[in-house]
Amino acid sequence: MRFVFITIWMCISILVHGQQVDTTFVVKQVDSLVQISRKCILSNDFDKASKVASLAEQLALERLGKNSISYGNVCFIKGKLHYYKGELKETEKCYLEYSSILKHVSGEDNMDYAWSLDDLGQLYDVMGQFEKAEPLFIKSGLIIAQLRGKNHPDYAWSLNDLAIMYRNMGAYEKAEPLYLEAKSIRENALGKNHPDYVWSLNNLANLYNFMSAYEKAEPYYLTSIKLWEKLDGKESTNYATGINNLASLYFNMGVFDKAEPLIIESCSLREKLLGKQSVDYAGSLNNLASLYLKTGQYQKAEPLFIEALTLREKIFGKVHAEVANSIGNLGLLHENMGNYKKTESLFLEAKSIWEQTIGVDHPEYAASVFNLAHFYLKSNQIIQAEPLILSALTIREKLLGKEHPDFLESQRLLSKLYLLQGRIHEATTLLEAVSRQQETELLKATKYLSEYELSQFIDAYQNQEDELCAYNYSCPSNSNCSVSNPLAMIAYDRALFYKGFLLTSAIRLRNLAELTEASKAIYIRLKSYHRRLASEYALPINERTEVAELEDSANAIEKELVYTVSGYSKNVQQLKWQEVKKALQKNEAAIEFVRYEFNFPKATDSIMYVALLIKENASAPILISMFEEKSLDSLLLSKSERKADYVNSLYSLSDRGAIAIEAPKKSLYELLWKPIEKELVGIKTIYFSPSGLLHRINLDAIPLSETETLADKYQLIEFGSTRQLVVPTQIKIVNNDAVLFGGIQFEQDTAIQNNEPLIASRSRGELSFNSIDSTLRGGSWNYLAGTELEVNAIEKMMRTAGLKTNIKKGYNATEEAFKNIGVNNSNAPKILHIATHGYFFQDLKESRQSSVDSRQDVSVFKMSEYPMLRSGLIMAGGNAAWQGKQTLDGREDGILTAYEISQMNLSNTELVVLSACETGLGDIQGNEGVYGLQRAFKIAGAKYLIMSLWQVPDKQTSLLMTTFYKKWLEGKMTIPDAFHAAQKELREVGLDPYQWAGFVLVE
């Protein structure tokens, strides 16, 4: 990968092996000096090591001659000294002479000669000269097998070293069976509590880490760490190595909050055990700095990189691979900080050192070439960039293969170069290949990563999406492309794949888990952990005791489930834009709205929006440039409360609310719809998927004139992704039931007995919240008289229409009653109507590293870092918990969070109506859309969802709902038609947008 290098430590066979010891006094003197030199090398005292080795060489030559074993030992220790100083060519000379002496004096059929071949193979491996290394390892292994047998631990060492070479050259399919065989030999010969066996586990994990087979790497790392702790304790260098390597896995996966504490712990241990002048400590500093670089914490990264570089230069000298690594990382840091003069010189210096130390046929040299090429392209030095990109691509293809992430990264950079040069066809071919491979990797990740881990993993692709859309955004002004260009096809395909990817994975997992009794049992265990987590998350931070343990357990159970569930490993159906086109009828269109950072050809602070539009008769998607997010930012983000005057100004022509940057005032129509409208001639029905701030806009309500809105001109149907046209939401309606909640009493009444048994696992016990806060800013939730009238009127219509109704009012509208829906294999109702208060809090954006004490006087529901807790519904008796009072013993607290709803089974529910305030809000997170109640009910399995974008008055909400049900149940309209007709009726009787436009329908 381009960004940084995380050091992975592995066990390779030691560079000095046992020798036959001469009995003469001179031999003892020479060997004694060799041992002293070796100790000096291990303590990084290279000057003293060199002096002692020179004395040993002089004595051996004068008294024993060049054809003595003792002189051979001197050659070897000199080679080792050169190796540690990064002088690999000199090392090669010494190792060759040592091996030649052994062959001449002792012959080939002895262990010393076999190990000399192995040592020479290790050197060529490091130098990237794999064609020289391979026959040496193979010959060494044959000699060891003949002398020791194939079940001996020495033969396992030989297999291990050959496997490391195959891993380094990218021949993973050759490395894996050798690692496994070495592990098996060690397990049988030495047992599972022997250090060599643990190193086998570690080396296997390293292999799978390099292969991006993270699902295989993690359990090996975790097992090896536990064994190191058992054998050596946590205060040991092996344990430090184990957690360092596990950190590298999480780093590669993009799960940085798991990687950071492990690297810090490893660094602290190495400083304590080895001292600040050690190679390992310098490596840990580099790793920690690399993580801070990757996460944009440049001020933390720079001093660590400099300290690591200083230590490595002191230990190894100026020309060494480790020094080149540090210099290259400093170059990346300065590039990201915008210090381009320093960047170029650092990259050139690193490239020169890599070439001197390991040659040009090596992945690290290719990485240094790639970094320099990327810099030149970024600074618009295209002529200098092209040959470097091609060179890196060629080396990586040869050494790593076409499926390796680094090769794909080189392809992507080359495609960017072609885009800048206007070579669209060549760029498109490359981007299609890269896209296919990345989708394959992400689909593989769904088999073993939990949703949280997937969210971290998928973030790594966001920058690539931004670059593709950024080029498309400027495409119409480019003479070499058109508004229906081939890159728009790729952009639409990627939107189909990535939008809602995690949501789709969560829904698919739930559905598949129902297929067998075994998977059901595991799924029930997983849900129980999530429910317990909900309880912990709801507690103030200083009262939480089990979060870390429960999170780890939930992750482990989820991985067990994805391994167990039959069919889960099959690929998600990968759709292309042509399939969406086939699903369209005449006069229909599909639109994917896309939000992205404008980072092409260089990074900016602008966030842009485009529309990708498909029509039934179109030859390709049409890309339409729309607006910069700042145009809506001041409109939507600066308003914490959506009051009537604000909403009415937004959705009326009299006061044009949205202000474009350095431009006259624009209406929502001019800003959001006018750029698209010219492509919609003859179109009546539009299926669309919003992105970013468009989730907070009701497109239906955008006015075209004083008497007409978009809903009058078009039938607008909102999807999470337009892939739903091809793969619709599947539900199985098994009853004609409806459950209604309304007229809820939010104060506790201790005199009322709870008649609702909690069938589902209890998710909260006693809570203690120190703050009193609500979206009403009054500290408590008021009784909504209109909701009782609403559910009474709706229930009457439902009974008339033949539905079986169950109404929950007053103190009976409890959280227990809600959570008992769909449990114990019972079917969820066809309709679920909830008339109550809803809440949503914006993310406080506080650092997770901030002190716990500073957050203790803030409501759990408001300050939680989990967006699915900052959104929810208020049920009976909810004011007590909201105000920080003690809740009734054995009862739920009445605060029903989105997180808890997401754990329910509503797969038989056709419609959920959230007749409450702000139920459509939530954190907007990249391709995944809104994290809040909307996501919760979709994960739970509901098909249609009606929800609100602002605080709609109680009376008008009731009027809208009763009008909707009348048109649906009595008028026999479809749910979408009935909803749009109800809003239109309220508008036509004179209600302003604040009173009718707050609700939206999402399928």
Side-chain angles (χ1 to χ4, degrees):
M1 299 299 288
R2 149 164 221 272
F3 262 100
V4 284
F5 173 84
I6 283 283
T7 306
I8 294 179
W9 297 81
M10 68 195 68
C11 183
I12 60 177
S13 55
I14 58 175
L15 297 179
V16 174
H17 305 288
Q19 305 286 321
Q20 287 289 335
V21 180
D22 290 339
T23 57
T24 65
F25 178 71
V26 175
V27 167
K28 289 181 178 181
Q29 281 186 308
V30 172
D31 287 348
S32 176
L33 290 172
V34 166
Q35 292 299 324
I36 293 171
S37 181
R38 180 188 299 113
K39 290 179 181 179
C40 292
I41 291 171
L42 294 176
S43 61
N44 301 322
D45 190 349
F46 298 143
D47 287 340
K48 185 176 180 180
S50 181
K51 292 176 182 177
V52 174
S54 295
L55 287 175
E57 180 180 22
Q58 182 180 355
L59 183 61
L61 285 173
E62 289 178 354
R63 305 290 295 274
L64 301 171
K66 275 194 171 186
N67 289 326
S68 65
I69 296 294
S70 292
Y71 177 71
N73 289 339
V74 173
C75 290
F76 185 85
I77 203 65
K78 285 179 61 182
K80 186 177 180 183
L81 177 60
H82 288 305
Y83 177 85
Y84 272 87
K85 293 171 68 176
E87 299 163 355
L88 301 186
K89 292 294 184 183
E90 296 302 316
T91 303
E92 181 185 16
K93 294 177 183 178
C94 292
Y95 280 8
L96 285 169
E97 189 171 5
Y98 169 58
S99 184
S100 176
I101 291 171
L102 287 174
K103 181 179 180 180
H104 176 74
V105 174
S106 304
E108 294 189 1
D109 291 330
N110 68 86
M111 290 298 297
D112 290 341
Y113 178 68
W115 286 128
S116 75
L117 298 178
D118 188 274
D119 293 329
L120 190 55
Q122 289 180 43
L123 174 65
Y124 287 134
D125 179 15
V126 171
M127 296 172 71
Q129 297 179 25
F130 304 121
E131 72 284 353
K132 291 184 178 180
E134 185 178 23
L136 292 169
F137 281 130
I138 291 173
K139 186 174 181 179
S140 172
L142 290 173
I143 296 172
I144 294 173
Q146 182 180 355
L147 296 175
R148 292 282 195 264
K150 289 191 173 182
N151 294 321
H152 194 278
D154 283 352
Y155 184 65
W157 274 114
S158 176
L159 294 174
N160 178 81
D161 293 348
L162 178 58
I164 289 174
M165 186 212 70
Y166 282 137
R167 190 217 68 184
N168 290 339
M169 66 185 289
Y172 302 136
E173 72 287 350
K174 291 184 177 181
E176 184 178 18
L178 296 175
Y179 274 135
L180 290 170
E181 187 179 354
K183 179 176 79 74
S184 177
I185 293 169
R186 287 167 170 172
E187 183 177 352
N188 293 328
L190 304 172
K192 289 186 176 182
N193 289 320
H194 193 280
D196 289 358
Y197 174 77
V198 186
W199 278 115
S200 273
L201 299 181
N202 175 82
N203 289 350
L204 262 170
N206 287 341
L207 171 70
Y208 293 135
N209 194 356
F210 273 75
M211 293 170 63
S212 300
Y214 304 131
E215 77 283 10
K216 294 183 177 180
E218 187 182 31
Y220 278 120
Y221 277 139
L222 293 173
T223 303
S224 64
I225 289 170
K226 286 182 181 178
L227 287 172
W228 283 133
E229 183 179 353
K230 177 183 176 181
L231 294 173
D232 300 340
K234 285 190 174 182
E235 298 277 317
S236 69
T237 55
N238 283 334
Y239 181 82
T241 295
I243 60 176
N244 172 84
N245 290 355
L246 180 61
S248 78
L249 173 72
Y250 292 138
F251 179 93
N252 292 335
M253 291 167 59
V255 189
F256 301 122
D257 57 350
K258 282 190 174 183
E260 183 180 7
L262 291 170
I263 298 175
I264 290 173
E265 184 182 359
S266 174
C267 190
S268 177
L269 280 172
R270 286 170 169 171
E271 179 183 358
K272 179 178 180 180
L273 298 171
L274 303 172
K276 284 193 171 184
Q277 304 303 312
S278 71
V279 174
D280 289 0
Y281 176 69
S284 286
L285 288 175
N286 179 76
N287 292 349
L288 186 57
S290 297
L291 184 140
Y292 290 141
L293 169 57
K294 186 73 170 179
T295 55
Q297 301 177 71
Y298 303 141
Q299 299 308 314
K300 287 184 176 181
E302 186 171 19
L304 295 172
F305 273 140
I306 291 173
E307 185 180 356
L309 174 60
T310 303
L311 283 174
R312 285 172 167 176
E313 286 183 337
K314 184 177 180 181
I315 295 169
F316 300 118
K318 296 282 187 179
V319 181
H320 192 276
E322 298 291 333
V323 174
N325 169 249
S326 283
I327 292 172
N329 283 343
L330 264 177
L332 289 169
L333 176 66
H334 285 292
E335 180 184 3
N336 280 275
M337 294 171 68
N339 302 328
Y340 289 163
K341 287 185 178 180
K342 287 185 178 181
T343 301
E344 183 177 17
S345 63
L346 287 166
F347 280 164
L348 287 169
E349 184 179 0
K351 175 176 172 289
S352 175
I353 296 173
W354 283 119
E355 187 172 354
Q356 292 178 63
T357 55
I358 61 176
V360 298
D361 246 357
H362 195 281
E364 291 298 341
Y365 176 76
S368 70
V369 172
F370 178 88
N371 287 343
L372 187 58
H374 183 277
F375 165 71
Y376 283 141
L377 197 62
K378 186 176 182 179
S379 55
N380 205 33
Q381 301 179 61
I382 296 177
I383 295 175
Q384 293 93 325
E386 184 169 8
L388 293 170
I389 297 174
L390 293 171
S391 174
L393 187 69
T394 301
I395 297 170
R396 284 173 164 175
E397 181 178 2
K398 175 184 175 183
L399 299 179
L400 305 174
K402 290 185 176 182
E403 293 183 355
H404 195 276
D406 289 357
F407 177 76
L408 297 178
E409 190 176 44
S410 296
Q411 281 189 308
R412 195 169 64 83
L413 190 65
L414 184 59
S415 71
K416 187 174 180 180
L417 173 75
Y418 289 157
L419 290 176
L420 288 170
Q421 294 175 332
R423 298 158 66 178
I424 306 302
H425 177 73
E426 292 166 281
T428 303
T429 301
L430 282 171
L431 285 170
E432 285 175 338
V434 172
S435 181
R436 283 193 301 270
Q437 186 59 33
Q438 288 175 341
E439 288 174 8
T440 299
E441 290 301 314
L442 191 53
L443 288 169
K444 283 166 53 182
T446 64
K447 302 176 190 177
Y448 58 88
L449 295 183
S450 65
E451 181 177 351
Y452 169 72
E453 291 168 333
L454 270 176
S455 69
Q456 302 293 305
F457 190 55
I458 202 171
D459 281 348
Y461 297 120
Q462 186 59 50
N463 183 62
Q464 300 168 30
E465 298 300 299
D466 292 343
E467 284 186 355
L468 180 61
C469 289
Y471 182 79
N472 270 312
Y473 184 94
S474 56
C475 187
S477 62
N478 188 320
S479 60
N480 292 311
C481 59
S482 64
V483 291
S484 57
N485 66 82
L487 292 174
M489 302 180 196
I490 300 176
Y492 204 108
D493 289 345
R494 290 174 80 90
L496 289 176
F497 183 84
Y498 286 104
K499 256 192 180 181
F501 182 87
L502 299 181
L503 177 59
T504 302
S505 297
I507 294 172
R508 188 174 69 257
L509 178 58
R510 187 206 65 232
N511 292 339
L512 289 171
E514 298 294 321
L515 295 178
T516 69
E517 291 302 318
S519 59
K520 278 184 184 179
I522 299 173
Y523 193 55
I524 289 170
R525 286 164 56 204
L526 174 63
K527 292 177 78 67
S528 71
Y529 276 115
H530 280 303
R531 290 191 183 105
R532 289 170 62 190
L533 270 172
S535 175
E536 284 288 307
Y537 290 149
L539 293 171
I541 289 177
N542 62 354
E543 295 181 23
R544 299 178 187 178
T545 58
E546 296 183 289
V547 168
E549 179 182 347
L550 288 172
E551 285 179 336
D552 289 343
S553 297
N555 268 342
I557 293 294
E558 189 169 348
K559 290 172 185 176
E560 182 183 352
L561 180 62
V562 298
Y563 282 125
T564 303
V565 170
S566 174
Y568 190 86
S569 62
K570 295 180 180 178
N571 286 351
V572 179
Q573 185 176 355
Q574 297 183 55
L575 302 181
K576 301 299 180 183
W577 70 270
Q578 293 94 334
E579 293 169 88
V580 175
K581 175 188 170 183
K582 288 179 183 177
L584 294 172
Q585 304 297 316
K586 188 176 181 181
N587 302 324
E588 291 185 342
I591 300 176
E592 285 286 350
F593 291 105
V594 179
R595 171 192 184 270
Y596 64 94
E597 294 182 10
F598 197 89
N599 63 0
F600 182 88
K602 60 182 180 180
T604 72
D605 62 354
S606 295
I607 296 174
M608 311 300 295
Y609 286 73
V610 297
L612 292 161
L613 184 145
I614 297 176
K615 292 186 283 190
E616 178 266 339
N617 59 352
S619 59
I622 300 170
L623 180 135
I624 303 166
S625 302
M626 293 180 66
F627 58 89
E628 188 174 2
E629 189 168 79
K630 291 177 183 177
S631 302
L632 284 178
D633 227 8
S634 59
L635 186 73
L636 298 178
L637 297 184
S638 64
K639 302 283 185 177
S640 60
E641 300 180 45
R642 289 161 169 77
K643 298 300 183 182
D645 54 350
Y646 159 60
V647 172
N648 289 332
S649 69
L650 185 62
Y651 291 97
S652 300
L653 294 177
S654 56
D655 183 0
R656 300 180 169 195
I659 302 174
I661 303 300
E662 299 179 359
K665 288 183 179 180
K666 288 187 177 181
S667 66
L668 279 178
Y669 163 74
E670 292 170 313
L671 195 65
L672 306 183
W673 202 254
K674 190 174 181 180
I676 305 172
E677 195 170 42
K678 62 184 179 181
E679 301 292 344
L680 297 175
V681 177
I683 298 297
K684 179 58 181 176
T685 301
I686 300 171
Y687 306 95
F688 73 95
S689 172
S691 181
L693 294 183
L694 294 181
H695 283 287
R696 295 178 182 169
I697 295 290
N698 184 347
L699 294 185
D700 276 345
I702 294 177
L704 299 174
S705 67
E706 294 294 339
T707 59
E708 187 182 35
T709 70
L710 285 182
D712 295 316
K713 189 172 182 179
Y714 307 100
Q715 183 184 21
L716 295 166
I717 300 174
E718 180 177 344
F719 286 147
S721 164
T722 57
R723 67 181 286 119
Q724 290 172 241
L725 280 167
V726 184
V727 187
T729 302
Q730 298 293 328
I731 67 164
K732 183 179 180 181
I733 300 175
V734 296
N735 57 47
N736 212 25
D737 296 350
V739 178
L740 298 88
F741 289 80
I744 299 173
Q745 293 289 348
F746 302 110
E747 296 296 337
Q748 281 190 356
D749 189 340
T750 57
I752 299 294
Q753 183 177 357
N754 179 25
N755 295 317
E756 184 76 43
L758 182 59
I759 300 173
S761 299
R762 196 173 311 283
S763 65
R764 280 202 201 95
E766 183 177 319
L767 299 179
S768 177
F769 302 134
N770 296 325
S771 88
I772 300 173
D773 202 350
S774 80
T775 48
L776 300 181
R777 304 296 187 263
S780 65
W781 299 100
N782 301 321
Y783 176 75
L784 298 171
T787 63
E788 183 170 9
L789 297 173
E790 176 184 325
V791 294
N792 287 340
I794 293 170
E795 184 196 28
K796 190 177 297 184
M797 280 187 283
M798 288 179 172
R799 287 202 310 267
T800 302
L803 274 77
K804 180 182 177 182
T805 60
N806 182 3
I807 191 167
K808 301 287 186 180
K809 296 190 293 187
Y811 294 109
N812 292 321
T814 61
E815 187 176 352
E816 287 93 337
F818 190 91
K819 287 183 176 178
N820 284 341
I821 293 172
V823 301
N824 287 355
N825 296 319
S826 63
N827 296 315
K830 176 181 177 180
I831 303 169
L832 183 57
H833 184 100
I834 309 149
T836 184
H837 288 294
Y839 71 90
F840 165 67
F841 289 117
Q842 297 279 356
D843 190 352
L844 293 180
K845 302 299 182 186
E846 287 188 4
S847 169
R848 295 188 182 186
Q849 305 301 321
S850 62
S851 74
V852 170
D853 293 339
S854 68
R855 299 169 64 146
Q856 291 311 301
D857 57 353
V858 183
S859 168
V860 169
F861 303 119
K862 185 173 183 178
M863 63 81 182
S864 176
E865 63 197 41
Y866 299 95
M868 301 283 275
L869 295 181
R870 286 184 272 106
S871 179
L873 300 169
I874 310 301
M875 308 305 288
N879 271 337
W882 197 266
Q883 295 168 354
K885 298 177 182 177
Q886 183 172 332
T887 57
L888 297 177
D889 186 36
R891 297 281 296 273
E892 294 278 358
D893 55 39
I895 311 298
L896 181 63
T897 67
Y899 182 91
E900 292 170 305
I901 293 167
S902 71
Q903 306 306 307
M904 297 178 64
N905 181 7
L906 300 177
S907 56
N908 307 125
T909 301
E910 183 178 16
L911 174 67
V912 174
V913 178
L914 300 179
S915 184
C917 297
E918 299 189 334
T919 51
L921 302 184
D923 281 0
I924 298 172
Q925 297 191 4
N927 292 306
E928 285 300 304
V930 179
Y931 272 71
L933 287 167
Q934 175 183 165
R935 184 180 186 84
F937 279 103
K938 295 303 286 183
I939 290 175
K943 181 175 177 63
Y944 288 104
L945 185 62
I946 294 176
M947 55 195 179
S948 61
L949 299 176
W950 56 77
Q951 296 176 16
V952 183
D954 186 19
K955 181 178 179 181
Q956 286 77 10
T957 296
S958 297
L959 180 59
L960 175 65
M961 295 305 164
T962 53
T963 304
F964 159 70
Y965 280 110
K966 185 175 182 179
K967 293 182 181 297
W968 178 34
L969 299 176
E970 297 178 7
K972 306 299 182 183
M973 290 183 173
T974 65
I975 289 176
D977 288 345
F979 179 75
H980 296 311
Q983 287 195 323
K984 183 176 181 180
E985 183 172 315
L986 266 61
R987 176 166 57 90
E988 289 177 345
V989 299
L991 271 64
D992 58 41
Y994 174 68
Q995 297 170 317
W996 66 265
F999 283 89
V1000 292
L1001 172 70
V1002 177
E1003 181 177 348

